[in-house]
């Protein structure tokens, strides 16, 4: 059995050259090769193209490289989790390319598998698809995405043996597994290195043939940024809770459900074990439980897509981001509940970008909107100035076309029978006259 060289973080950082394309694993700071990135931040290496879901957090992980001016281009899915990345993009200091989260994960997996590219329905009809080749496949328009490879991949695993076989812990697989296959040089930062044979072959996630170097480095709570602990200070308004309860009423025993950030997250607080509802999170977990009661963080618990520590229910499973989005695009998620900025008469959704502001954070929204079997959108009926969010035609950049099945606002519930926007229910203490006055879209009334 081969022996993979064990090196220091400084030796690993020296292997990255000016102008390299660097893949950086992690989802937020969970499963993030923070020690390798911080060692690289102490070098003079520059003009890097950094590829990752996000560019770390302020002064953490890839965030250190960004502050040092070592990154000339960033390719990712959710730059808005790091204010420094937003500032760098807005100023034009750093070039950037935004990809939907599932598209990014699959592009890396394709690159690692020697596949030149693939077609996906995700992002059809949106700004992200602009300029890309499209093709009708089985009656569905799809967008071509090229595979992604890097010169160097920095990844994080929990344990390695001396032959380079890796095992990951909880939701720390995320982008790491695909990135381990998709670079000319792969350096794995791990919590522990054990003799070959000590890891059961059944529990090896990345075979040693993909790994060139190992670095042993212990993670601490300080390395985990916003995922280090649970924030229990949230207060929820009655109207937001009403929307969450109405969305929860749509769920059935056995449903696999993905919850977006914001109002949809509140649905998790309503689910009891006897409901039999299985929560999915796009960073790699099925069977998400409530937040830890002890306030613990990602040192001891998995995290969800909001980078919040959660518990694992009996029967839970972990996987990587590419597999997670394969579940979504493959139609294995029954219901997605998402927030929205606008919905319109044709069931189009806009929930990720505002004109005049940089397009810096799409995450998994486009994949979920187009891939879930049923899409429920929760949003306040109007902006603070009274502008309706239920509109004739979306004016904001689209997330997906014709995908919305149910709209739940603080005033009413709309559905799309026969493809037409239809008012089916009023929220408590709301009149039909109020809904008519505050809705810009034309709708049919079928109140029960």
């Amino acid at each position: 059995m081969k022996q993979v060289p064990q090196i220091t973080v400084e030796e690993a950082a020296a292997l990255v050259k000016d102008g390299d394309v660097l893949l950086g694993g992690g989802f937020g700071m969970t499963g993030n090769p923070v020690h390798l990135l911080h060692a690289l931040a102490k070098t003079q290496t520059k003009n890097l193209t950094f590829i990752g879901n996000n560019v770390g957090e302020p002064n953490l992980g890839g965030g250190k490289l960004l502050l040092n001016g070592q990154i000339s281009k960033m390719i990712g899915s959710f730059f808005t989790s790091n204010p420094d990345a937003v500032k760098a993009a807005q100023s034009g200091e750093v070039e950037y390319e935004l990809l939907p989260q599932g598209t990014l994960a699959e592009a890396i997996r394709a690159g690692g598998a020697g596949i030149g590219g693939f077609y996906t329905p995700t992002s059809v009809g949106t700004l992200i698809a602009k300029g890309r080749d499209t093709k009708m496949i089985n009656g569905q328009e799809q967008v071509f995405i090229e595979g992604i490879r890097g010169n160097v991949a920095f990844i994080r695993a929990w344990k390695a043996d001396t032959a380079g076989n890796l095992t990951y812990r909880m939701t720390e697989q995320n982008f790491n597994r695909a990135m381990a296959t998709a670079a000319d040089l792969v350096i794995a930062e791990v919590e522990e290195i054990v003799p070959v044979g000590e890891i059961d072959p059944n529990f090896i996630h990345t075979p040693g043939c993909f790994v060139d170097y190992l670095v042993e480095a212990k993670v601490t709570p300080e390395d985990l940024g916003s995922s280090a602990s649970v924030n229990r200070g949230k207060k929820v308004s009655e109207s937001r809770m009403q929307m969450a309860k109405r969305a929860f009423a749509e769920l059935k025993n056995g449903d696999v459900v993905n919850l977006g950030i914001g109002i949809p997250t509140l649905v998790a607080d309503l689910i009891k074990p006897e409901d039999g509802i299985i929560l999915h999170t796009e960073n790699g977990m099925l069977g998400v439980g409530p937040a830890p009661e002890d306030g613990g963080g990602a040192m001891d618990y998995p995290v969800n897509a909001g980078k919040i520590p959660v518990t694992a229910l009996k029967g839970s499973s972990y996987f990587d981001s590419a597999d997670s989005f394969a579940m979504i695009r493959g139609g294995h998620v029954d219901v997605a509940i998402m927030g929205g900025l606008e919905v319109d008469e044709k069931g189009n959704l806009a929930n990720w970008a505002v004109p005049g502001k940089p397009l810096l954070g799409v995450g998994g929204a486009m994949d979920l909107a187009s891939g879930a079997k049923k899409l429920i959108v929760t949003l306040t009926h109007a902006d603070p100035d009274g502008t309706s969010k239920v509109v004739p035609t979306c004016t904001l950049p689209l997330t997906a076309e014709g995908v919305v099945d149910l709209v739940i606002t603080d005033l009413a519930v709309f559905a799309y029978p026969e493809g037409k926007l239809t008012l089916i229910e009023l929220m408590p203490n709301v009149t039909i006259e109020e809904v008519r006055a505050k809705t810009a879209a034309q709708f049919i009334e079928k109140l029960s």
Side-chain angles (χ1 to χ4, degrees):
M1 188 66 68
K2 78 165 187 174
Q3 297 291 298
V4 172
Q6 299 176 35
I7 60 176
T8 66
V9 289
E10 292 80 12
E11 289 170 327
L15 295 171
V16 183
K17 307 303 181 188
D18 287 355
D20 273 353
V21 175
L22 175 65
L23 305 181
F27 186 87
M29 297 308 298
T30 305
N32 195 296
V34 60
H35 301 89
L36 291 174
L37 292 167
H38 287 185
L40 183 58
K42 294 178 180 178
T43 71
Q44 300 301 310
T45 308
K46 59 185 184 301
N47 197 28
L48 298 171
T49 295
F50 184 87
I51 300 177
N53 182 59
N54 53 291
V55 189
E57 293 186 5
N59 207 33
L60 275 177
K64 273 191 181 292
L65 301 177
L66 193 64
L67 287 178
N68 288 350
Q70 292 171 275
I71 296 174
S72 59
K73 182 176 181 178
M74 50 189 184
I75 300 173
S77 164
F78 205 73
F79 302 126
T80 48
S81 60
N82 185 347
D84 294 326
V86 173
K87 190 182 301 182
Q90 286 177 322
S91 67
E93 180 183 342
V94 174
E95 185 183 352
Y96 67 93
E97 181 181 349
L98 188 67
L99 290 171
Q101 194 174 108
T103 298
L104 176 64
E106 194 65 29
I108 295 167
R109 178 157 69 176
I115 296 171
F118 58 93
Y119 284 91
T120 174
T122 301
S123 79
V124 166
T126 74
L127 290 175
I128 285 181
K130 189 175 181 180
R132 295 187 182 274
D133 180 50
T134 63
K135 179 180 288 189
M136 296 297 294
I137 301 176
N138 296 326
Q140 184 179 39
E141 187 177 6
Q142 301 201 23
V143 179
F144 183 75
I145 303 293
E146 291 186 355
I148 290 175
R149 283 190 63 88
N151 300 110
V152 181
F154 281 176
I155 64 170
R156 172 83 191 180
W158 190 246
K159 186 181 289 187
D161 66 21
T162 52
N165 296 307
L166 306 179
T167 184
Y168 303 94
R169 186 185 69 142
M170 300 186 293
T171 48
E172 295 175 2
Q173 293 185 43
N174 49 66
F175 282 82
N176 285 303
R177 265 183 60 191
M179 287 183 175
T181 71
D184 302 327
L185 188 70
V186 175
I187 305 171
E189 172 188 311
V190 300
E191 187 76 7
E192 181 184 11
I193 301 173
V194 299
V196 67
E198 283 201 15
I199 302 176
D200 187 318
N202 289 296
F203 302 125
I204 290 171
H205 300 118
T206 294
C209 65
F210 292 110
V211 178
D212 297 293
Y213 293 98
L214 294 172
V215 172
E216 190 172 85
K218 307 294 184 184
V219 71
T220 68
E222 290 72 30
D223 300 324
L224 295 171
S226 59
S227 297
S229 62
V230 175
N231 183 354
R232 294 187 163 276
K234 67 178 181 181
K235 292 184 179 179
V236 182
S237 69
E238 183 179 350
S239 64
R240 289 169 68 87
M241 206 64 223
Q242 279 182 343
M243 285 186 271
K245 289 178 180 177
R246 181 60 186 81
F248 171 71
E250 292 293 314
L251 306 182
K252 305 186 299 295
N253 189 291
D255 276 349
V256 174
V257 179
N258 185 287
L259 302 177
I261 295 171
I263 295 168
T265 304
L266 302 176
V267 175
D269 297 333
L270 304 172
I271 297 172
K272 301 180 180 64
E274 58 267 27
D275 295 322
I277 293 164
I278 306 160
L279 291 183
H280 169 277
T281 181
E282 53 263 40
N283 59 308
M285 184 179 179
L286 199 61
V288 179
E293 292 184 359
D294 60 9
M299 286 291 290
D300 303 300
Y301 296 99
V303 302
N304 64 15
K307 304 177 183 68
I308 297 169
V310 293
T311 53
L313 301 180
K314 289 182 179 179
S316 296
S317 57
Y318 302 117
F319 34 87
D320 76 338
S321 295
D323 280 350
S324 185
F325 281 95
M327 294 176 187
I328 294 166
R329 287 189 304 273
H332 305 290
V333 172
D334 296 297
V335 183
I337 305 176
M338 304 176 68
L341 297 173
E342 285 182 338
V343 293
D344 69 18
E345 295 173 10
K346 294 183 179 180
N348 298 325
L349 170 66
N351 79 341
W352 71 282
V354 177
K357 295 187 178 181
L359 307 178
L360 293 173
V362 64
M366 290 185 179
D367 300 276
L368 283 160
S370 61
K373 292 178 183 176
K374 180 176 182 178
L375 177 62
I376 300 171
V377 176
T378 61
L379 73 169
T380 54
H381 203 92
D383 288 324
D385 65 1
T387 303
S388 177
K389 295 182 182 180
V390 185
V391 296
T393 302
C394 287
T395 59
L396 299 176
L398 288 184
T399 302
E401 297 178 317
V403 293
V404 181
D405 295 294
L406 197 71
V407 180
I408 301 172
T409 80
D410 48 340
L411 301 183
V413 181
F414 297 89
Y416 290 86
E418 300 178 2
K420 298 183 183 298
L421 181 67
T422 303
L423 174 66
I424 62 171
E425 191 177 322
L426 298 174
M427 296 299 269
N429 304 315
V430 176
T431 65
I432 183 65
E433 290 76 20
E434 185 179 3
V435 174
R436 288 174 184 154
K438 293 183 177 180
T439 307
Q442 297 294 312
F443 58 87
I444 299 168
E445 298 174 21
K446 286 189 179 178
L447 295 171
S448 55

